[in-house]
Amino acid sequence: MYYRLFRSFLTVCMLTMPAFGQDEPDTIAPEIGNRVLEHYITPVLARFSETSSTLSGALNAVCKGGSAPEMSAVRTGFSDTLSAFAHVSVLRFGPLVADNRFERIFFWPDTRGVTLRQVQGLLATEEPLPSDLADQSVALQGLPALDYVLFGTGGDALAEDARRCNYALTIANNVADIATQLEAAWAEGTSFRVSFISPAADRDPYRSKAEVAGEIVKAAGTTLEFARNAELLPALGKTVEKARGKRAPFWRSGQTFAFVAGQIEGVQRLIDAAGFVDGPSELVNGYGRGMNFDLSHARETLLAVETAPEAAFSEEQDRGRISYATIAMEGAKHTLNGELSGALGLVMGFNALDGD
């Protein structure tokens, strides 16, 4: 039910483009697309490509008979790749949503445990492993599946379990391949990049810098909504008795809070790159700084959680920290979709989940 709900939510977001006046608002930074491309998109995609490639190399070494140092490199590579993807996940438009790339990397929410069921089934069978995961179920392809293979039951024996190790390597190669595809889709001369940095009346999908600004606002808001409502709140539950830490992403590797904090940091860097913090309008800048104030507190509070994710949502002090972070994230989202968007001259469409 939750998955259908969020698919519906995202569909609404994707269909809800901002409306604009006839004139280009002077509150939007000149060459906003170029700023975001240079200061956010290009570096975060390059880091994701580098970390995922390094992870593949480390797994290849383990599967060929590596020992303790190689296993340590795998764990570090997984953590670095998650950190890099947290920033990439903010760019949930254009190339990242084409060909189901987002879901192929991060199939979430997964309230029915599809990933666990399919991964365990694949590991248990004696049939040959698929050499290419691109045509397989998205639940088998991405980072949640790799989280289980590396850190779930049996993960400690990865080096001695050839089938498990080769599957982990295949997942890592798949993620690295998608990272390469994303860089190629944003490369110089591609039609999407041209439209993003030089929007024009005869170009799709962006015909003005206001549409580019609207896309950035929408991406930032979607990230905050998704991280809060699909990643933290289902695990937090309404009461401590209903807390379910195992409903949070990447709890097995202990990376839940670092991942969400990375997404929040990504939103901060994105709005900074777009000129919403230090751009041509002091009114916009004021709201951007207010957002950053809330988001910095949310990020720091999540990074201060001391208990492993599996138990943190039930532990009193850490539960308070997580609750505070969700409130700060909601406040930042309302500032973004309300005051900041208005100051930019954007009129964002109705969001069915806002209830207002």
Side-chain angles (χ1 to χ4, degrees), residues 320-339:
R321 288 174 171 139
I322 299 164
S323 295
Y324 172 81
T326 64
I327 293 169
M329 292 163 71
E330 180 73 356
K333 192 203 74 172
H334 278 295
T335 300
L336 175 73
N337 289 346
E339 291 93 341

Side-chain angles (χ1 to χ4, degrees), residues 239-256:
T239 65
V240 67
E241 291 79 15
K242 294 184 177 180
R244 300 288 184 272
K246 292 182 179 179
R247 293 184 66 182
F250 309 119
W251 65 268
R252 292 182 178 86
S253 58
Q255 294 292 319
T256 299

Side-chain angles (χ1 to χ4, degrees), residues 148-178:
Y148 175 79
V149 175
L150 297 181
F151 301 95
T153 304
D156 290 342
L158 184 76
E160 293 79 41
D161 186 338
R163 184 176 181 83
R164 192 181 191 103
C165 201
N166 287 328
Y167 175 44
L169 176 58
T170 305
I171 298 174
N173 288 340
N174 184 63
V175 172
D177 182 58
I178 298 172

Side-chain angles (χ1 to χ4, degrees), residues 268 271-272 274-279 281-282 284-286 288-289 292:
Q268 292 183 281
I271 65 171
D272 192 10
F276 298 165
V277 176
D278 191 19
S281 166
E282 274 308 307
V284 172
N285 295 340
R289 290 169 191 150
N292 265 343

Side-chain angles (χ1 to χ4, degrees), residues 24-181:
E24 289 278 86
D26 58 8
T27 52
I28 298 174
E31 299 189 344
I32 180 174
N34 222 11
R35 288 174 55 117
V36 171
L37 183 71
E38 180 179 352
H39 298 294
Y40 189 78
I41 296 172
T42 299
V44 302
L45 291 183
R47 180 167 175 252
F48 183 45
S49 185
E50 178 185 352
T51 56
S52 57
S53 177
T54 299
L55 174 60
S56 293
L59 271 165
N60 190 46
V62 168
C63 295
K64 288 183 176 178
S67 55
E70 284 77 17
M71 277 303 300
S72 177
V74 167
R75 296 188 185 99
T76 300
F78 183 76
S79 175
D80 290 346
T81 300
L82 272 190
S83 172
F85 178 67
H87 289 168
V88 172
S89 72
V90 177
L91 303 170
R92 203 163 176 175
F93 58 89
L96 186 57
V97 301
D99 300 326
N100 293 322
R101 290 191 180 108
F102 182 92
E103 288 79 11
R104 291 175 59 203
I105 301 170
F106 183 40
F107 175 62
W108 200 266
D110 182 15
T111 55
R112 294 183 177 180
V114 175
T115 297
L116 179 62
R117 189 166 62 251
Q118 293 191 359
V119 170
Q120 287 180 327
L122 184 66
L123 291 175
T125 183
E126 295 183 354
E127 295 180 2
L129 287 169
S131 58
D132 184 356
L133 292 174
D135 295 329
Q136 302 293 316
S137 161
V138 294
L140 290 171
Q141 295 193 32
L143 297 173
L146 193 54
D147 186 71
Y148 175 79
V149 175
L150 297 181
F151 301 95
T153 304
D156 290 342
L158 184 76
E160 293 79 41
D161 186 338
R163 184 176 181 83
R164 192 181 191 103
C165 201
N166 287 328
Y167 175 44
L169 176 58
T170 305
I171 298 174
N173 288 340
N174 184 63
V175 172
D177 182 58
I178 298 172
T180 301
Q181 293 173 24

